[in-house]
Amino acid sequence: MLPFLNLWSVLILLGAAQGLLLSWTFFFSPEGRALSNRLLALLVLSLALLVVEILLCYSGYVQFAPFFVGLTEPLTFVVSPLLYLYARSLTESAFRWRPRYLLLLLPAVAHAVYLVPFFAQSNAWKLRTVAESFHQPHLVTAVAEHPFWWFGTYDRFYDFFYLVLGSYLLLYLGLLLRTFFGYQRQQAARPAAPAPLLGWLKRLGIGFGLLLLVYLGATTYFHVASPTSGTDAGDVWVASLISLLFYSMSGRAISRSTLLALQTPPEELPEEPAAPRRKYEKTALAPEATADILARLRTLMATDRPYQNPDLSLADLAAQLRLPPHHLSQVINEQCQQNFFDFLNSYRIEEVKRQLQLPETAHLKLEEIGFAAGFNSKSAFNAAFKKSTQTTPSQFRKTMLSA
């Protein structure tokens, strides 16, 4: 295969680069919930590596890195579990990483083991398989080496591999939909505007559904309808769609950046020597702006319950409201007479009090309820609850349930 670049491959190349950059950004982002961000980073990284291999094989540049042939194929069984766990981490406030979740990666491990005979072949043999799959001329007639006992099953297995993978993706699409609709029912029970998270979950589901549709449609066409008609562009279509998804994610991240909410500070007026300085004198908000920010803040706290995120920061909450952090801090300090952490804890404590009065939560441990409300340690939960209510959580529950 002679290496080449065309408009299509450049689109995929830029998409792969975008995906690698996004995965780095998500993994090391100090904002939001760390576990969710890292699951999203691993998901995007897996997709980006798949795109890189498809690009190298399609453009012929894989001859300079033949070890990449087939290397990322097991990742096709990793993407779906990561997306499912990411959705759960967003919708379940008490979600924590558990070692048992590694069992979801067993199909990927099994497929990697199945590919060991393929990885053991010579580079020339691997390049020949790439050229044949894309119906390109190749000069080397390489023969297989290191024939493991199951090596002979490859030809038969890959005739229906796309059906196996398609069924696997459909299974996780069902789990993702169940997670989404369960969260949607929870939000519908709250008398307020839809949470912004619902829109993001919808876009995730639509993107995953489109990816599944394109994969099944393209691979079915090239395996059944037209097995020998020119270049097999099935994988290329998939890589193109993933690249477009990366472009969309980058655009959304930029549009929600706090950089777009920055405002020019008001011009400073000369100070009178004897006048006392107020804390927010240089960034004073108009009464109308203050009332609007406070109303939006109250609505967000009631609908999306961001306080349930134990890693929530002032900058993260300000980003959700598309405000400069210092404006949000000013409104909380002046209108609520609280600092940021006391403001969050007031909502967490009210949520705990509400849960402790419900008979159906009587079987739950106190710390489970506290963690679900957003506290990140048992001691912090007990101290904040005692400070606010002058009683302990256990005494409060006993009093409420016996009333």
Side-chain angles (χ1 to χ4, degrees), residues 366-388:
L366 294 171
E367 54 266 32
E368 287 183 295
I369 296 176
F371 291 153
F375 289 100
N376 56 13
S377 72
K378 183 178 179 180
S379 59
F381 164 49
N382 287 331
F385 193 92
K386 183 73 176 288
K387 178 182 177 182
S388 174

Side-chain angles (χ1 to χ4, degrees), residues 12-80:
I12 298 174
L13 172 63
L14 295 177
Q18 194 85 266
L20 294 173
L21 179 61
L22 283 170
S23 65
W24 175 274
T25 303
F26 293 147
F27 194 88
F28 294 103
S29 173
E31 308 296 340
R33 191 174 185 182
L35 176 59
S36 298
N37 287 344
R38 288 172 183 170
L39 287 171
L40 181 59
L42 293 174
L43 168 63
V44 172
L45 178 62
S46 300
L47 290 172
L49 291 176
L50 286 168
V51 171
V52 168
E53 183 184 344
I54 294 172
L55 170 66
L56 291 174
C57 293
Y58 168 67
S59 64
Y61 282 93
V62 73
Q63 64 182 276
F64 301 110
F67 65 88
F68 229 105
V69 179
L71 187 64
T72 67
E73 191 169 295
L75 292 179
T76 56
F77 291 96
V78 172
V79 170
S80 300

